[in-house]
Amino acid sequence: TIYTFGCGGMDVKVTFINSIDPSDFTRLSLPFIYVSVTATSNDGATHRVQIYSDLSGEWLSADSGKPMTWSTTKSDKLILHTFSLAAQTQFQATDNRVEYGLGYHAMIPSDGVTYQSGQDTVLRGGFRTGGALNNTADTNFRDIDQQWPCFAFAKDLGNITDSSTAPVVFAVGLSRDPAISYTAGGTQQSRSLWYRRQYSTDSDAISFFLNDYDLAVSSANNFDSKLSTAASQISGTYSDLAVLAARQVASHIEITVSTGSDGKLNASDVMVFMGNDGVNRLEEIYASAPFWIYVNPEILRLMLLPNIRWQQLSSTNTGYVADDLGDTYPQASGPGSSLVRPKALESTSNMMITTAALIKATGNAAIVSENANLYKTWADYLKSNTLIPGQQTTSDGVMVGAPSNDTNLALKGIIALKAYADILSTLGQDGSAYSDTARNYASQWQSMAEANAGFAASYGDSGSWSSCYNLFADKWLKTGLFPESVYSKMSELYASNISESSSSTYFLCDVVSNSTGLV
């Protein structure tokens, strides 16, 4: 993310960099970002420039009345502000915001760099007056909002003419250890982030991070270029979206390892957790799967493992895939509300399609052969429930009331059933029973979902239509279940439902009639 500010005769560019290198688990697991600043004269004149940056305790909690502590350390390699809540509980989160760990603001020492901790108005006022900080620390620990303690850096860039300065680089982050609580089969693990295998202290990790800036940026630029070039084959707009989405997806995962009986981090027990609204939600894993298949399928496999292991060791045998591993990140203790209100068909389909895509990309079907009983159980659930979903909750948040059936949901289940047949084929086993059923269902679906325009949102409601976006998986996996005539019909429907206003272009995803009770 890049911001450019016109400051009188100077242009100041601030860049927030979340470096992505999917092949390097150490870089990918570091919980820090770069904030870099450059300055360029825009009028040809010479200007004296100083840069200032600070963080407050608001990074730690949404409750600004909580007490906090902090420290500042300086060596010839690193200046490090560290701050944290005075009272912490491991794995605690409020409103999807983790509230334990250590906040960091750091720089590499160099000429013109000064630092200070203290009240916000004092630090900022002092910088405005003198262009520098006084290299002192406030030791009066207090609440986040009590005289607002901040942790600041300043950099004097000296006189600048028309050429751009070298970047001034800050490191910002929040570190937690342990990072994840994972429970399966009644056994709880406190899991650490991958980078701790290499760096025993955060100060060492941050020092590496700052010194790695040039290589990390180069790696990130190379990644962006590769992704952008590939996505540009679709369109320039799609390319922009893909590059933007890449960081949103990558920033939501944490690569973790367990601690062995010897007290050392166990590199042979690696799991990836995704946190947004809940822990490892199958709908989110499924949505991100094409990205991980493209950049590093191994990350996707490691993301599926916690869910599969929980199902294998669970005493609750539902016959379908649980939606997630918990309601509150970073507590992966097992499904909470999702057991009461499951998206059974949706999540089981998501797991099966994602697994099939992983196997197709890697050629390695061990994840299924090692959990054959689970996958067969899930496939049998799909076989029994897919064509007539009945009353099922979907990821769209739509509850389909009986006797209606969500045609888009049925579509996904049919494709997932064929995906399982293809997995069995990869394993050298006979999947014809599942394949034949999937093809039969696909044929019936086309008839049952028929509508005046495209395909209905629910069977029998010919006045409605659905975007049927789950057809994507048929193309992705090359299951060949649906003829081109289905895609032609949907393309015509899409084209006729694109609307434009003076400020935007938009597309109506689904239209339903009052008879179904859908909204």
Side-chain angles (χ1 to χ4, degrees), residues 99-374:
E99 294 204 340
Y100 76 101
L102 301 173
Y104 293 110
H105 194 197
M107 286 190 75
I108 294 175
S110 65
D111 291 342
V113 170
T114 53
Y115 61 91
Q116 189 176 348
S117 62
Q119 184 176 353
D120 58 344
T121 55
V122 172
L123 300 183
R124 296 166 191 173
F127 174 76
R128 290 192 189 98
T129 301
L133 300 170
N134 62 17
N135 298 334
T136 60
D138 182 338
T139 58
N140 177 28
F141 302 148
R142 53 194 183 270
D143 294 349
I144 294 171
D145 62 0
Q146 185 180 353
Q147 296 181 326
W148 299 102
C150 288
F151 316 99
F153 288 103
K155 169 71 174 180
D156 188 343
L157 298 176
N159 293 321
I160 296 176
T161 53
D162 57 346
S163 61
S164 180
T165 62
V168 178
V169 181
F170 308 91
V172 175
L174 181 69
S175 170
R176 314 182 323 274
D177 191 46
I180 296 286
S181 174
Y182 174 61
T183 303
T187 300
Q188 188 271 341
Q189 292 181 337
S190 295
R191 302 180 65 89
S192 298
L193 296 182
W194 172 275
Y195 78 91
R196 293 188 180 278
R197 294 177 59 253
Q198 186 168 347
Y199 300 102
S200 58
T201 67
D202 280 340
S203 60
D204 288 342
I206 294 171
S207 182
F208 160 78
F209 180 75
L210 284 169
N211 283 286
D212 189 50
Y213 173 78
D214 289 338
L215 289 176
V217 171
S218 176
S219 175
N221 288 338
N222 289 338
F223 172 83
D224 285 352
S225 177
K226 178 183 176 182
L227 180 61
S228 179
T229 298
S232 293
Q233 296 178 25
I234 307 299
S235 74
T237 301
Y238 182 72
S239 173
D240 293 341
L241 290 173
V243 172
L244 176 63
R247 278 164 177 77
Q248 292 179 319
V249 173
S251 66
H252 278 87
I253 71 163
E254 293 190 305
I255 305 172
T256 71
V257 292
S258 63
T259 300
S261 57
D262 59 359
K264 297 180 180 180
L265 297 180
N266 183 5
S268 65
D269 180 17
V270 186
M271 289 183 173
V272 174
F273 294 86
M274 174 180 282
N276 185 16
D277 183 16
V279 187
N280 274 33
R281 292 209 161 162
L282 260 300
E283 64 193 83
E284 294 172 2
I285 293 175
Y286 171 74
S288 69
F291 171 76
W292 296 117
I293 289 292
Y294 176 73
V295 300
N296 188 348
E298 176 63 6
I299 292 176
L300 180 61
R301 184 186 74 85
L302 296 173
M303 203 180 302
L304 293 177
L305 287 184
N307 298 63
I308 293 171
R309 183 181 295 180
W310 184 90
Q311 297 261 184
Q312 279 284 27
L313 299 177
S314 173
S315 58
T316 304
N317 184 12
T318 59
Y320 52 78
V321 176
D323 300 340
D324 54 49
L325 291 178
D327 292 335
T328 305
Y329 199 89
Q331 300 172 34
S333 53
S337 61
S338 62
L339 279 181
V340 181
R341 300 180 298 277
K343 299 186 292 289
L345 182 55
E346 178 102 53
S347 293
T348 305
S349 300
N350 288 340
M351 175 66 83
M352 199 68 76
I353 293 171
T354 301
T355 301
L358 176 64
I359 293 171
K360 184 178 285 288
T362 63
N364 185 347
I367 195 170
V368 174
S369 60
E370 293 169 0
N371 301 279
N373 62 325
L374 272 183

Side-chain angles (χ1 to χ4, degrees), residues 283 343 346 392-400 406 469 518-519:
E283 64 193 83
K343 299 186 292 289
E346 178 102 53
Q392 290 251 12
T393 304
T394 72
S395 297
D396 297 325
V398 178
M399 177 65 77
V400 181
D406 187 332
Y469 59 79
L518 295 172
V519 294

